[in-house]
Amino acid sequence: MNSINIDRSSVVEQVADALREQMFAGQLRPGMALREGALIESLKVSRSTVREALQLLIGEGLLVREPNKGVSVRQLNEAEVDDIFRARRVLELSGVRAVVDASRRDLTNLTSRLAEYEAAVKEGSPVEIARTHVQFHMAIVGLLGSPRLTEVAKSLLSELQLAISSVDRSSDDLPEMLRVHRQIAELIRKAKVEEAVQLVDQHISNAKAFVPASL
């Protein structure tokens, strides 16, 4: 019999996806410890698979590993949240102001990211809603035309993924959240810079107001 190569990476991804889904759905909350033994038993996979999946999520900034404490869901403190939102505000408002010089490709990208966010809200998947929400805001920074600044935004927003998911879950009206994002995109498309700046600034402030409750 010929040897069969099993792609273990797909199993690792499936485990990571399952944990990601629980985090974004609020079943695994910030600060909650993840025990390897319990995961092995509940997911029916090997210890090495669990460890690889955990390491993958640590790399995404969703989990943290601390000496003598093990792995837990990432929990931002108030100072970290303040700093991230300060940096986020600088990047996104700069992106809005750059629309007058933005390329057609970057403007099209913003429109595409909005469409993905709309589809995710309709589908109702917490993971996809959070992912596409983040991608939309990265696309705003992308209007600056700087891959390095887009990478900075990606890093910042990855730290806020769980907080953003919490904001989306706690929102009484996701369609209203979507309406705001449509309005932001429309103002940017029409190059109504100051109106767009005010709306993005207000949106960021509103989002930040929800975050401390999720810490």
Side-chain angles (χ1 to χ4, degrees), residues 9-28:
S9 64
S10 63
V11 180
V12 171
E13 284 289 350
Q14 288 174 40
V15 171
D17 286 344
L19 294 175
R20 220 182 267 113
E21 183 76 34
Q22 290 189 39
M23 283 186 277
F24 284 97
Q27 296 166 340
L28 292 174

Side-chain angles (χ1 to χ4, degrees), residues 13 15 31-32 71-72 83 91 112 151-152 154 157 196 199:
E13 284 289 350
V15 171
M32 188 175 293
V71 177
S72 60
D83 193 40
L91 287 171
S112 298
E151 280 300 309
V152 171
K154 180 180 179 180
L157 289 165
L199 187 56

